[in-house]
Amino acid sequence: MSTPLTYSQIVEVFTRFRNDCAEPKGELDHVNAFTLVVAVALSAQATDKGVNRATQELFRIADTPQKMLDLGEEGVTEHIRTIGLYRNKAKNVIKLSRILVEDFGGEVPSSRAALESLPGVGRKTANVVLNMWFKHPAQAVDTHIFRVGNRTGLAMGKDVVAVERAIEDRVPAQFQQHAHHWLILHGRYTCKARKPDCAHCLINDICTFEDKIYDQTL
């Protein structure tokens, strides 16, 4: 069982993350706010690499809500067929495109409430868009961040909203903008679910996870 890190430990953790990668980037390909919304919505229960492969041609021909509407649901479906739940996701892409055209003048809104009103867009997707496109220090907590927050003691909570609030409350302002990217990348490539690579972890001397794994041959 992990224990919460102290303020000074949290500062040290994020200082190391920043020194290692000062400007972390999201791994979903996009060309504007609209394609970012679509990409993040499509990424639910799918990998970023899989979404990028599916959207490469889609975003080339439909990079605005109106162009997506012109393509139609069947057209979207054909492009994203390799992504899980693709039929329902195609319906949501068309629905959100129509709402953006009819209610928002074809522009992606910059408020969480407005973003969450779009079909297929939940709190996590809204926070990703707010952070990546509008540069708000929003914390998009996914399974990686939930795991890292609880496992390391950085931001502990029983659900994703609790972890989100813990990050907002406990992480110093200077690190808020990039916090969720540092954490998601750490969870994706180092602090992995089944076999965390503690031997190559930047923060293994600070992390309070009791079951650290140093022998990767196990």
Side-chain angles (χ1 to χ4, degrees):
M1 180 68 180
S2 301
T3 57
L5 300 186
T6 65
Y7 177 80
S8 61
Q9 288 175 317
I10 292 173
V11 171
E12 177 61 24
V13 165
F14 281 100
T15 297
R16 292 184 190 183
F17 285 156
R18 183 174 62 187
N19 289 342
D20 182 64
C21 180
E23 295 289 333
K25 304 294 183 184
E27 297 184 322
L28 284 172
D29 294 338
H30 60 283
V31 296
N32 53 30
F34 171 67
T35 54
L36 178 59
V37 171
V38 173
V40 180
L42 293 177
S43 70
Q45 300 182 49
T47 66
D48 287 359
K49 289 182 180 179
V51 172
N52 290 340
R53 286 194 295 269
T55 58
Q56 183 177 13
E57 180 64 16
L58 175 64
F59 291 162
R60 189 184 71 79
I61 61 177
D63 59 355
T64 69
Q66 187 58 60
K67 289 179 182 178
M68 198 68 76
L69 287 176
D70 293 341
L71 183 60
E73 185 178 321
E74 285 305 313
V76 174
T77 299
E78 286 303 310
H79 282 91
I80 67 170
R81 191 175 292 276
T82 56
I83 300 176
L85 305 175
Y86 66 93
R87 290 194 183 280
N88 189 56
K89 289 178 179 179
K91 290 179 181 179
N92 283 335
V93 168
I94 291 299
K95 288 178 181 177
L96 72 83
S97 297
R98 182 170 292 109
I99 292 173
L100 288 175
V101 169
E102 294 178 353
D103 298 343
F104 296 98
E107 299 294 327
V108 174
S110 59
S111 80
R112 181 184 286 117
L115 285 166
E116 287 191 71
S117 73
L118 300 173
V121 176
R123 186 179 184 88
K124 187 194 80 171
T125 298
N127 282 344
V128 170
V129 175
L130 290 173
N131 182 284
M132 289 182 63
W133 192 261
F134 295 106
K135 306 304 179 184
H136 295 178
Q139 305 303 328
V141 178
D142 67 354
T143 56
H144 294 299
I145 297 177
F146 182 78
R147 178 178 66 255
V148 171
N150 279 289
R151 180 184 276 172
T152 63
L154 269 170
M156 304 178 74
K158 293 183 178 180
D159 54 45
V160 293
V161 175
V163 171
E164 177 185 326
R165 289 173 178 164
I167 295 172
E168 292 173 344
D169 291 343
R170 305 190 76 220
V171 176
Q174 62 180 311
F175 302 117
Q176 286 281 330
Q177 181 62 51
H178 294 310
H180 102 271
H181 273 132
W182 282 318
L183 292 174
I184 194 172
L185 293 172
H186 189 65
R188 185 172 289 166
Y189 297 111
T190 302
C191 196
K192 294 171 283 191
R194 295 184 179 179
K195 201 172 183 180
D197 189 6
C198 300
H200 299 96
C201 175
L202 286 173
I203 61 170
N204 59 19
D205 59 321
I206 301 173
C207 166
T208 61
F209 181 48
E210 292 181 351
D211 300 320
K212 293 177 183 176
I213 300 175
Y214 289 99
D215 186 355
Q216 291 299 293
T217 64
L218 295 178

